[in-house]
Structure formats: structure tokens, C-alpha cells
Amino acid sequence: MFKHIALGAATLLLLSNPGWAQNELEAGMVSFYQEKFDDAIPLLDKAVRQEPQNTLAMAYLLHSYYRKRDITTIVTKIEQEAVSKGSDPVAQAQLGMAYFLKGLVMPNVMEESLTEFKNAAKDDTKCSLAYTGMGMVYFQKRMMPRAKGYFVRALRINPHDVMALDRLGNILLVDDKKPDEALQLYQRIVDELPTYPDGHYFVGSALYDLKRYEEAVQPLLRARDLDPKGITQGFDAAALLGDCYMKLNRPSEAIAAFEVAKKIRPDSQYVQVRMEKAKTSKPNS
């Protein structure tokens, strides 16, 4: 979500039933990807209040304020709530999430985020939000073995933590070069939360790395359609879709895919180069 993303027992985790806040989260995500952040915020806020440790809902809520260029409002609000609740571990972990967002803009605040997560985990060893938060901090620092350990710990407590699954899958896919294991995690994400575009994008990415190009097309199309403005992974999905078509020797479809990517990010040199290559390629006879 926040942009830049051997498993053992965690690979066996099943995501059986959606959480209570799923309807609000999905509705909020729809507004978020339409850039209707004022509509998204109350829906996502309700999702967080229904499931205070829903890390993905919390991330979308914070990112909505970020996109509005109004970080101060949400950080101050969460600070005030944390103070009013005293030593409540979940409130501490939510404050850690708020400081994590602020730390993306002001790097020195990132350590404050880590402190809040550690305090929350110390007060409640079953606070999955705290472990996912620590994993996110170390993921941001590119300290992947440590990040992986915290994500696995979070998932042992809460197998529905989509953010932990997402980031753990990213480590498996990008850093560990284990697309088969990453695919298992991302497939579970899209089965539970089919409106989450990044899940579909990483399913397509894992299939691409496994050279299963034909299978990668549909999840990449889905990711692109769910995030047409490229707010999170929509641009990457559009570009990788073009690469898939190139691997399948279907240059006309590749050109169309690269044109969509170009509309999202007109200054992308990579897309321009790949489009020119597609224009000089000959399709299958």
C-alpha cells in the first residue's frame, strides 16, 4: 500500500471468513481509487472503528489524508485518541501507524513510529497491528529478514491481516525470489478481498516470474481496472501487462497496454522504449 513490497507454517494460513469491516473497507477503497477522498475517509474511519486492528483499512484511511495533503489533521486526531485511552495497546499501535505515515515525509519521525509499535507489543503480545507495524518500518528500511519475522508473527495472531500478507508476499517475490510461495499468499488475498488492486497486481507479477504469461493477463487487467489512475499499483499493472503480451508475441495488444500505461504516467521512459519495441515486433503467424 504505502509506496516504495522459506515461509514455513505461515504459508498454511487460511483466510476463511471476511472481517466485520469488509463492506466499509471495500466501499472506501472504491472512493479512494476514484480520488474521492472526502467520501472515502468516513467509510474507512468506520471500518477502522469496527476493526481497530485492520491494518489495511488503517493504511487506506491514513493515505486518504496524505493524498489530501492533510497529514496533520489525522495525526493530531489519533494522538488525541491515544492520550484519552491511556495505555491502550491498540491505540498505541494506531498512533504508530500515524507516525509511520508522517515518517514517509519526515524520516526522523519513523523512529517514533517504531517506539509506539514496540510499546504496544510489550503491553499486549497479541496485538497483531503492532507486529505488522514493526514489519512495515523494517520493510521501509529494507531490513527484510527482520520485517519478515514480524509479518509472520502478526499472521500467527491474525491470519486476516492483508497488509502483513501483502508485504510478506512482496519479500518472497522480490527479495527471496520465491514467486511460487508469494503466489499462494496473494491468491488468498484476492480470494478474500477481490477489490484490492495490489493483490491482483502481485498475483500477476508472481505468475509473470513463473513464466505463466497467459495466466498473468487477467489479474493484471483486473488490477489496472481497479486502479485506473495508478494511485498504487495500477501503472505497474498496465506496464507489466504490456510485457506479458510481448512475451506472448502479441505486439498489437502490447502496444494497447503500453498506451494505457503511458496515459497514467506520460513521462515513463521504460514504457516508451517498450512501446517502440512492440511497434517493430512481428506477431505470431
Side-chain angles (χ1 to χ4, degrees):
M1 188 37 209
F2 294 107
K3 290 186 77 174
H4 358 62
I5 284 170
L7 184 55
T11 307
L12 303 177
L13 289 169
L14 297 176
L15 301 176
S16 54
N17 297 310
W20 297 338
Q22 178 136 343
N23 290 339
E24 287 75 15
L25 174 56
E26 291 190 329
M29 288 165 59
V30 169
S31 294
F32 177 88
Y33 284 106
Q34 293 174 348
E35 297 186 295
K36 297 177 180 178
F37 303 116
D38 287 329
D39 293 338
I41 284 170
L43 291 165
L44 296 168
D45 184 70
K46 186 177 180 181
V48 170
R49 294 191 182 282
Q50 289 179 333
E51 286 187 69
Q53 296 197 62
N54 188 321
T55 321
L56 191 70
M58 190 78 190
Y60 272 108
L61 175 63
L62 292 166
H63 202 54
S64 294
Y65 279 95
Y66 176 83
R67 296 286 297 190
K68 286 185 63 177
R69 301 179 183 275
D70 190 17
I71 296 175
T72 301
T73 295
I74 186 61
V75 172
T76 300
K77 178 182 177 182
I78 293 172
E79 284 177 331
Q80 291 171 344
E81 290 184 357
V83 169
S84 69
K85 293 179 180 178
S87 59
D88 181 276
V90 174
Q92 286 179 298
Q94 289 183 340
L95 182 56
M97 288 287 290
Y99 287 159
F100 178 84
L101 173 71
K102 193 173 180 180
L104 297 177
V105 181
M106 302 170 61
N108 61 308
V109 180
M110 195 64 74
E111 290 305 314
E112 295 182 45
S113 170
L114 191 58
T115 297
E116 295 297 334
F117 290 134
K118 287 181 177 179
N119 288 339
K122 182 179 179 181
D123 290 343
D124 181 3
T125 59
K126 297 297 183 181
C127 182
S128 61
L129 178 60
Y131 296 115
T132 299
M134 284 187 276
M136 290 169 64
V137 172
Y138 288 117
F139 185 96
Q140 187 70 23
K141 291 173 176 280
R142 307 304 298 169
M143 298 170 67
M144 295 311 181
R146 186 171 293 188
K148 182 193 287 189
Y150 283 118
F151 291 137
V152 170
R153 188 163 182 176
L155 288 166
R156 286 174 180 158
I157 300 167
N158 176 19
H160 294 273
D161 193 327
V162 173
M163 180 64 77
L165 285 165
D166 181 298
R167 290 293 183 259
L168 182 56
N170 189 282
I171 293 171
L172 291 169
L173 181 64
V174 177
D175 297 278
D176 294 352
K177 309 298 182 187
K178 295 180 178 178
D180 52 339
E181 291 187 23
L183 179 60
Q184 294 178 53
L185 294 186
Y186 282 111
Q187 190 58 59
R188 286 171 181 160
I189 289 174
V190 300
D191 288 345
E192 176 160 311
L193 194 59
T195 55
Y196 179 48
D198 295 8
H200 293 282
Y201 166 70
F202 283 114
V203 166
S205 296
L207 289 167
Y208 183 90
D209 286 359
L210 290 166
K211 304 187 188 311
R212 292 159 60 179
Y213 305 119
E214 190 68 58
E215 293 176 70
V217 167
Q218 285 305 313
L220 292 173
L221 281 170
R222 181 69 173 146
R224 189 187 70 180
D225 292 346
L226 287 168
D227 181 17
K229 298 174 186 270
I231 297 178
T232 54
Q233 299 289 353
F235 167 78
D236 297 317
L240 189 57
L241 180 62
D243 288 336
C244 275
Y245 286 132
M246 290 291 284
K247 291 289 187 181
L248 294 166
N249 201 16
R250 290 152 59 178
S252 61
E253 289 169 278
I255 292 167
F258 288 133
E259 285 176 344
V260 172
K262 191 77 170 172
K263 288 179 182 177
I264 298 171
R265 196 173 296 174
D267 60 347
S268 172
Q269 290 300 307
Y270 176 81
V271 168
Q272 186 62 44
V273 169
R274 294 295 287 163
M275 188 184 300
E276 294 303 319
K277 184 173 178 61
K279 288 177 180 179
T280 60
S281 299
K282 294 182 179 179
N284 288 323
S285 58

